[in-house]
mmCIF file of all heavy atoms in Angstrom:
data_model
loop_
_atom_site.group_PDB
_atom_site.id
_atom_site.type_symbol
_atom_site.label_atom_id
_atom_site.label_comp_id
_atom_site.label_asym_id
_atom_site.label_seq_id
_atom_site.Cartn_x
_atom_site.Cartn_y
_atom_site.Cartn_z
ATOM 1 N N VAL B 1046 38.949 -23.565 43.078
ATOM 2 C CA VAL B 1046 40.351 -23.830 42.682
ATOM 3 C C VAL B 1046 40.834 -25.057 43.624
ATOM 4 O O VAL B 1046 40.779 -24.720 44.943
ATOM 5 C CB VAL B 1046 41.181 -22.634 42.666
ATOM 6 C CG1 VAL B 1046 42.580 -22.968 42.375
ATOM 7 C CG2 VAL B 1046 40.697 -21.675 41.671
ATOM 8 N N GLU B 1047 41.341 -26.045 43.067
ATOM 9 C CA GLU B 1047 41.796 -27.215 43.949
ATOM 10 C C GLU B 1047 43.337 -27.466 43.639
ATOM 11 O O GLU B 1047 43.693 -27.467 42.624
ATOM 12 C CB GLU B 1047 41.012 -28.473 43.728
ATOM 13 C CG GLU B 1047 39.455 -28.175 44.063
ATOM 14 C CD GLU B 1047 38.645 -29.469 43.680
ATOM 15 O OE1 GLU B 1047 39.110 -30.365 43.070
ATOM 16 O OE2 GLU B 1047 37.465 -29.472 44.003
ATOM 17 N N HIS B 1054 56.750 -33.569 51.206
ATOM 18 C CA HIS B 1054 58.180 -33.650 51.777
ATOM 19 C C HIS B 1054 59.002 -34.404 50.787
ATOM 20 O O HIS B 1054 58.778 -35.481 50.326
ATOM 21 C CB HIS B 1054 58.147 -34.269 53.105
ATOM 22 C CG HIS B 1054 57.318 -33.709 54.117
ATOM 23 N ND1 HIS B 1054 58.011 -33.048 55.214
ATOM 24 C CD2 HIS B 1054 56.072 -33.524 54.451
ATOM 25 C CE1 HIS B 1054 57.137 -32.518 56.097
ATOM 26 N NE2 HIS B 1054 55.957 -32.852 55.552
ATOM 27 N N GLU B 1057 66.465 -32.947 49.268
ATOM 28 C CA GLU B 1057 67.227 -31.903 48.549
ATOM 29 C C GLU B 1057 67.695 -32.719 47.222
ATOM 30 O O GLU B 1057 68.170 -33.766 47.278
ATOM 31 C CB GLU B 1057 68.341 -31.409 49.323
ATOM 32 C CG GLU B 1057 69.218 -30.355 48.508
ATOM 33 C CD GLU B 1057 70.417 -29.691 49.353
ATOM 34 O OE1 GLU B 1057 70.391 -30.151 50.565
ATOM 35 O OE2 GLU B 1057 71.164 -29.054 48.896
ATOM 36 N N PRO B 1068 38.282 -23.652 37.465
ATOM 37 C CA PRO B 1068 37.115 -23.569 36.454
ATOM 38 C C PRO B 1068 37.627 -23.250 35.070
ATOM 39 O O PRO B 1068 38.267 -22.191 34.769
ATOM 40 C CB PRO B 1068 36.183 -22.478 37.045
ATOM 41 C CG PRO B 1068 36.689 -22.386 38.446
ATOM 42 C CD PRO B 1068 38.113 -22.701 38.461
ATOM 43 N N SER B 1070 35.587 -22.651 32.409
ATOM 44 C CA SER B 1070 34.645 -21.728 31.727
ATOM 45 C C SER B 1070 34.966 -20.276 32.282
ATOM 46 O O SER B 1070 35.356 -20.023 33.483
ATOM 47 C CB SER B 1070 33.223 -22.009 32.120
ATOM 48 O OG SER B 1070 32.940 -21.956 33.492
ATOM 49 N N ASN B 1071 34.873 -19.365 31.434
ATOM 50 C CA ASN B 1071 35.235 -17.821 31.751
ATOM 51 C C ASN B 1071 36.442 -17.671 32.181
ATOM 52 O O ASN B 1071 36.806 -16.719 33.014
ATOM 53 C CB ASN B 1071 34.109 -17.411 32.711
ATOM 54 C CG ASN B 1071 32.666 -17.376 32.128
ATOM 55 O OD1 ASN B 1071 32.443 -16.956 31.041
ATOM 56 N ND2 ASN B 1071 31.809 -17.806 33.008
ATOM 57 N N TYR B 1073 40.316 -16.362 32.558
ATOM 58 C CA TYR B 1073 41.004 -15.265 32.042
ATOM 59 C C TYR B 1073 42.548 -15.308 32.408
ATOM 60 O O TYR B 1073 43.299 -15.156 31.555
ATOM 61 C CB TYR B 1073 40.477 -13.919 32.898
ATOM 62 C CG TYR B 1073 41.135 -12.624 32.255
ATOM 63 C CD1 TYR B 1073 40.817 -12.132 31.027
ATOM 64 C CD2 TYR B 1073 42.339 -12.116 32.883
ATOM 65 C CE1 TYR B 1073 41.399 -10.977 30.550
ATOM 66 C CE2 TYR B 1073 42.845 -10.980 32.476
ATOM 67 C CZ TYR B 1073 42.348 -10.488 31.250
ATOM 68 O OH TYR B 1073 43.000 -9.296 30.742
ATOM 69 N N HIS B 1076 47.210 -17.680 38.238
ATOM 70 C CA HIS B 1076 48.379 -17.096 39.052
ATOM 71 C C HIS B 1076 49.067 -18.196 39.836
ATOM 72 O O HIS B 1076 48.297 -18.894 40.496
ATOM 73 C CB HIS B 1076 47.948 -15.980 39.851
ATOM 74 C CG HIS B 1076 47.432 -14.767 39.332
ATOM 75 N ND1 HIS B 1076 47.886 -13.521 39.673
ATOM 76 C CD2 HIS B 1076 46.561 -14.557 38.253
ATOM 77 C CE1 HIS B 1076 47.086 -12.526 38.950
ATOM 78 N NE2 HIS B 1076 46.394 -13.220 38.026
ATOM 79 N N TYR B 1078 51.782 -18.357 43.186
ATOM 80 C CA TYR B 1078 52.459 -17.464 44.120
ATOM 81 C C TYR B 1078 53.314 -18.418 45.046
ATOM 82 O O TYR B 1078 52.711 -19.493 45.455
ATOM 83 C CB TYR B 1078 51.592 -16.621 44.931
ATOM 84 C CG TYR B 1078 50.906 -15.410 44.136
ATOM 85 C CD1 TYR B 1078 49.740 -15.719 43.413
ATOM 86 C CD2 TYR B 1078 51.385 -14.220 44.200
ATOM 87 C CE1 TYR B 1078 49.217 -14.774 42.742
ATOM 88 C CE2 TYR B 1078 50.892 -13.231 43.452
ATOM 89 C CZ TYR B 1078 49.851 -13.491 42.651
ATOM 90 O OH TYR B 1078 49.182 -12.344 41.935
ATOM 91 N N TRP B 1080 54.707 -18.592 49.052
ATOM 92 C CA TRP B 1080 54.617 -17.961 50.279
ATOM 93 C C TRP B 1080 55.430 -18.630 51.316
ATOM 94 O O TRP B 1080 55.117 -19.718 51.761
ATOM 95 C CB TRP B 1080 53.114 -17.890 50.833
ATOM 96 C CG TRP B 1080 52.742 -17.006 51.867
ATOM 97 C CD1 TRP B 1080 53.741 -16.221 52.534
ATOM 98 C CD2 TRP B 1080 51.548 -16.774 52.524
ATOM 99 N NE1 TRP B 1080 53.098 -15.478 53.565
ATOM 100 C CE2 TRP B 1080 51.632 -15.701 53.632
ATOM 101 C CE3 TRP B 1080 50.187 -17.203 52.296
ATOM 102 C CZ2 TRP B 1080 50.747 -15.291 54.189
ATOM 103 C CZ3 TRP B 1080 49.156 -16.687 53.012
ATOM 104 C CH2 TRP B 1080 49.364 -15.824 53.980
ATOM 105 N N THR B 1082 57.370 -18.776 54.938
ATOM 106 C CA THR B 1082 56.986 -18.409 56.406
ATOM 107 C C THR B 1082 57.570 -16.989 56.725
ATOM 108 O O THR B 1082 58.666 -16.911 56.387
ATOM 109 C CB THR B 1082 57.507 -19.551 57.293
ATOM 110 O OG1 THR B 1082 56.929 -20.751 56.859
ATOM 111 C CG2 THR B 1082 57.021 -19.272 58.627
ATOM 112 N N ALA B 1088 54.698 -13.357 43.666
ATOM 113 C CA ALA B 1088 54.136 -13.803 42.430
ATOM 114 C C ALA B 1088 55.381 -14.632 41.777
ATOM 115 O O ALA B 1088 56.497 -14.280 41.681
ATOM 116 C CB ALA B 1088 53.776 -12.829 41.509
ATOM 117 N N VAL B 1091 52.094 -15.391 36.015
ATOM 118 C CA VAL B 1091 50.742 -15.128 35.612
ATOM 119 C C VAL B 1091 50.601 -15.615 34.191
ATOM 120 O O VAL B 1091 51.243 -15.187 33.356
ATOM 121 C CB VAL B 1091 50.342 -13.633 35.615
ATOM 122 C CG1 VAL B 1091 48.908 -13.232 35.127
ATOM 123 C CG2 VAL B 1091 50.537 -13.108 37.104
ATOM 124 N N ASP B 1097 50.558 -22.513 27.347
ATOM 125 C CA ASP B 1097 51.683 -21.783 27.667
ATOM 126 C C ASP B 1097 52.619 -22.417 28.716
ATOM 127 O O ASP B 1097 52.032 -23.226 29.576
ATOM 128 C CB ASP B 1097 51.156 -20.457 28.230
ATOM 129 C CG ASP B 1097 52.245 -19.327 28.365
ATOM 130 O OD1 ASP B 1097 53.405 -19.533 27.578
ATOM 131 O OD2 ASP B 1097 52.080 -18.221 28.800
ATOM 132 N N LYS B 1099 55.825 -21.439 31.257
ATOM 133 C CA LYS B 1099 56.757 -20.276 31.864
ATOM 134 C C LYS B 1099 57.809 -20.958 32.707
ATOM 135 O O LYS B 1099 57.650 -22.010 33.361
ATOM 136 C CB LYS B 1099 55.916 -19.207 32.496
ATOM 137 C CG LYS B 1099 55.137 -18.378 31.486
ATOM 138 C CD LYS B 1099 54.636 -17.160 32.147
ATOM 139 C CE LYS B 1099 53.957 -16.366 31.028
ATOM 140 N NZ LYS B 1099 53.527 -14.934 31.474
ATOM 141 N N ASN B 1109 46.826 -25.591 30.929
ATOM 142 C CA ASN B 1109 45.800 -26.181 30.020
ATOM 143 C C ASN B 1109 44.429 -25.516 30.438
ATOM 144 O O ASN B 1109 43.827 -25.901 31.383
ATOM 145 C CB ASN B 1109 45.842 -27.667 30.214
ATOM 146 C CG ASN B 1109 44.706 -28.317 29.221
ATOM 147 O OD1 ASN B 1109 43.696 -27.857 28.935
ATOM 148 N ND2 ASN B 1109 45.087 -29.518 28.679
ATOM 149 N N TYR B 1114 43.534 -27.133 34.100
ATOM 150 C CA TYR B 1114 44.592 -27.411 35.086
ATOM 151 C C TYR B 1114 45.979 -26.740 34.855
ATOM 152 O O TYR B 1114 46.158 -26.391 33.584
ATOM 153 C CB TYR B 1114 44.778 -28.909 35.350
ATOM 154 C CG TYR B 1114 45.194 -29.801 33.983
ATOM 155 C CD1 TYR B 1114 46.572 -29.762 33.754
ATOM 156 C CD2 TYR B 1114 44.421 -30.301 33.116
ATOM 157 C CE1 TYR B 1114 47.088 -30.406 32.450
ATOM 158 C CE2 TYR B 1114 44.823 -30.898 32.013
ATOM 159 C CZ TYR B 1114 46.201 -31.076 31.708
ATOM 160 O OH TYR B 1114 46.572 -31.701 30.646
ATOM 161 N N TYR B 1118 56.320 -27.171 38.379
ATOM 162 C CA TYR B 1118 57.466 -28.053 38.558
ATOM 163 C C TYR B 1118 58.661 -27.480 39.137
ATOM 164 O O TYR B 1118 58.999 -26.246 38.942
ATOM 165 C CB TYR B 1118 57.974 -28.623 37.183
ATOM 166 C CG TYR B 1118 56.952 -29.286 36.246
ATOM 167 C CD1 TYR B 1118 56.103 -28.575 35.365
ATOM 168 C CD2 TYR B 1118 56.804 -30.676 36.292
ATOM 169 C CE1 TYR B 1118 55.183 -29.146 34.525
ATOM 170 C CE2 TYR B 1118 55.844 -31.327 35.588
ATOM 171 C CZ TYR B 1118 55.032 -30.616 34.735
ATOM 172 O OH TYR B 1118 54.185 -31.194 33.874
ATOM 173 N N LYS B 1120 62.596 -28.295 39.638
ATOM 174 C CA LYS B 1120 63.744 -29.189 39.316
ATOM 175 C C LYS B 1120 64.895 -29.137 40.352
ATOM 176 O O LYS B 1120 65.318 -27.972 40.653
ATOM 177 C CB LYS B 1120 64.206 -28.759 37.918
ATOM 178 C CG LYS B 1120 65.294 -29.877 37.438
ATOM 179 C CD LYS B 1120 65.715 -29.323 36.000
ATOM 180 C CE LYS B 1120 66.865 -30.247 35.461
ATOM 181 N NZ LYS B 1120 67.333 -29.858 34.135
ATOM 182 N N GLY B 1121 65.276 -30.192 40.870
ATOM 183 C CA GLY B 1121 66.362 -30.236 41.809
ATOM 184 C C GLY B 1121 66.081 -29.248 43.021
ATOM 185 O O GLY B 1121 66.728 -28.283 43.302
ATOM 186 N N GLN B 1123 65.663 -27.397 46.517
ATOM 187 C CA GLN B 1123 66.628 -26.924 47.513
ATOM 188 C C GLN B 1123 65.856 -26.602 48.748
ATOM 189 O O GLN B 1123 64.708 -26.256 48.645
ATOM 190 C CB GLN B 1123 67.353 -25.784 46.915
ATOM 191 C CG GLN B 1123 68.245 -25.966 45.651
ATOM 192 C CD GLN B 1123 69.304 -27.063 45.914
ATOM 193 O OE1 GLN B 1123 70.072 -26.828 46.878
ATOM 194 N NE2 GLN B 1123 69.278 -28.092 45.129
ATOM 195 N N PRO B 1124 66.491 -26.647 49.886
ATOM 196 C CA PRO B 1124 65.838 -26.181 51.177
ATOM 197 C C PRO B 1124 65.140 -24.933 50.975
ATOM 198 O O PRO B 1124 64.031 -24.676 51.701
ATOM 199 C CB PRO B 1124 66.911 -26.206 52.166
ATOM 200 C CG PRO B 1124 67.918 -27.285 51.663
ATOM 201 C CD PRO B 1124 67.879 -27.069 50.090
ATOM 202 N N TYR B 1130 52.873 -23.059 48.072
ATOM 203 C CA TYR B 1130 52.735 -22.668 46.707
ATOM 204 C C TYR B 1130 51.127 -22.570 46.497
ATOM 205 O O TYR B 1130 50.505 -23.508 46.521
ATOM 206 C CB TYR B 1130 53.456 -23.619 45.711
ATOM 207 C CG TYR B 1130 54.908 -23.557 45.857
ATOM 208 C CD1 TYR B 1130 55.619 -24.238 46.841
ATOM 209 C CD2 TYR B 1130 55.621 -22.681 45.045
ATOM 210 C CE1 TYR B 1130 56.886 -24.126 47.028
ATOM 211 C CE2 TYR B 1130 56.922 -22.596 45.163
ATOM 212 C CZ TYR B 1130 57.699 -23.294 46.190
ATOM 213 O OH TYR B 1130 58.992 -23.215 46.383
ATOM 214 N N LEU B 1131 50.726 -21.340 46.162
ATOM 215 C CA LEU B 1131 49.406 -20.963 45.960
ATOM 216 C C LEU B 1131 49.025 -20.718 44.576
ATOM 217 O O LEU B 1131 49.817 -20.100 43.857
ATOM 218 C CB LEU B 1131 48.992 -19.726 46.854
ATOM 219 C CG LEU B 1131 48.980 -19.830 48.208
ATOM 220 C CD1 LEU B 1131 48.896 -18.452 48.931
ATOM 221 C CD2 LEU B 1131 47.739 -20.724 48.775
ATOM 222 N N THR B 1149 49.809 -25.738 48.307
ATOM 223 C CA THR B 1149 50.564 -26.968 48.592
ATOM 224 C C THR B 1149 51.729 -26.611 49.400
ATOM 225 O O THR B 1149 52.503 -25.703 49.044
ATOM 226 C CB THR B 1149 51.140 -27.575 47.159
ATOM 227 O OG1 THR B 1149 49.933 -28.104 46.503
ATOM 228 C CG2 THR B 1149 52.055 -28.733 47.497
ATOM 229 N N ALA B 1152 58.108 -29.067 51.726
ATOM 230 C CA ALA B 1152 59.214 -29.062 52.755
ATOM 231 C C ALA B 1152 60.342 -29.842 52.005
ATOM 232 O O ALA B 1152 60.104 -31.036 51.677
ATOM 233 C CB ALA B 1152 58.958 -29.651 54.056
#
Side-chain angles (χ1 to χ4, degrees):
Chain B
V1046 173
E1047 298 175 356
H1054 292 255
E1057 182 176 355
S1070 61
N1071 298 316
Y1073 184 83
H1076 295 224
Y1078 291 83
W1080 194 356
T1082 303
V1091 177
D1097 199 7
K1099 294 203 171 184
N1109 183 321
Y1114 64 84
Y1118 300 92
K1120 183 178 178 182
Q1123 299 297 307
Y1130 291 82
L1131 291 161
T1149 292

